[in-house]
Amino acid sequence: MPKVFKSILFAGAGAGLLWLASCSPEDLFPDDPNVGGKDTATTFTLKYTNLSTSAVAFASCFDPDGAGPEAPSLLNTIRMQPNTEYDLELEVQDDTDPRKSINLTDTILRFPKNYRVCMASPVNLNYVPRDSDGTWPIGLQYRMKTGAAMNTTMKVILRNQRGVKNGACEPGTLLLEVNFPLSVQ
């Protein structure tokens, strides 16, 4: 093998190894999702289980640009019974390429100190996170208690809080925000 060919082969292999080393899972959900990011949080699926009847239901939304200017498409309304406890579980996907869905929930679970999912509602519903990074809530699992019958919204917010996580929902970079219609009847 000529010496020049060996040098090119060696340089190419070295560059390939450097590229692989630079592609760590922490690169997912970059601090600024609009600047050359690999993944965009586009789909929230909420599984909610009625603790008294064990009935399971789902609500989903799709936001093609994550935290970008396009509004999310809600696929259905969350329907719950009044004065009832529910377990809530969230899943986050990147469905920007319809041929290859990426489960971003796994990334959140691998790097829980970098992410926070918050639930909020304009009425006084009781949300209690059931998961933790060891210090602060992650927010992929909640226990929720409904009150009286009402029609409102349930806000779900996903933030990258790398280096600023303090248990609150405000710090960090917004990755996805959805207002699910909520019917308690």
Side-chain angles (χ1 to χ4, degrees):
M1 214 185 263
K3 193 173 194 174
V4 171
F5 181 71
K6 286 181 184 178
S7 296
I8 292 172
L9 183 63
F10 180 71
L17 288 173
L18 283 173
W19 177 79
L20 283 173
S22 71
C23 297
S24 77
E26 287 195 34
D27 290 338
L28 302 175
F29 296 102
D31 286 339
D32 183 354
N34 299 316
V35 181
K38 292 181 182 177
D39 294 316
T40 301
T42 61
T43 307
F44 261 140
T45 301
L46 174 65
K47 174 184 170 184
Y48 52 105
T49 305
N50 181 320
L51 294 180
S52 62
T53 66
S54 299
V56 176
F58 295 88
S60 296
C61 80
F62 176 70
D63 191 350
D65 62 349
E70 247 182 272
S73 303
L74 297 170
L75 303 180
N76 50 349
T77 297
I78 298 169
R79 300 190 188 285
M80 296 180 168
Q81 295 178 344
N83 304 309
T84 304
E85 273 194 305
Y86 288 85
D87 273 344
L88 308 176
E89 296 179 41
L90 286 153
E91 185 175 292
V92 184
Q93 299 280 125
D94 176 357
D95 292 316
T96 52
D97 181 350
R99 297 171 308 224
K100 182 184 173 194
S101 181
I102 300 168
N103 184 343
L104 299 176
T105 306
D106 293 340
T107 301
I108 294 169
L109 292 171
R110 275 196 317 265
F111 302 97
K113 293 187 184 293
N114 293 345
Y115 300 99
R116 177 75 161 102
V117 180
C118 297
M119 307 284 280
S121 181
V123 296
N124 192 15
L125 294 175
N126 183 13
Y127 300 99
V128 178
R130 296 185 302 124
D131 55 358
S132 166
D133 65 12
T135 304
W136 306 111
I138 302 167
L140 291 172
Q141 299 177 354
Y142 278 87
R143 174 84 31 98
M144 180 183 147
K145 172 91 171 168
T146 60
M150 70 184 108
N151 288 311
T152 186
T153 58
M154 178 189 298
K155 184 181 284 191
V156 181
I157 302 164
L158 170 62
R159 289 190 180 274
N160 179 325
Q161 294 188 336
R162 184 186 221 171
V164 296
K165 191 170 184 180
N166 63 6
C169 292
E170 292 74 29
T173 302
L174 179 66
L175 300 176
L176 189 60
E177 181 177 323
V178 178
N179 286 304
F180 282 105
L182 171 61
S183 177
V184 179
Q185 302 296 329

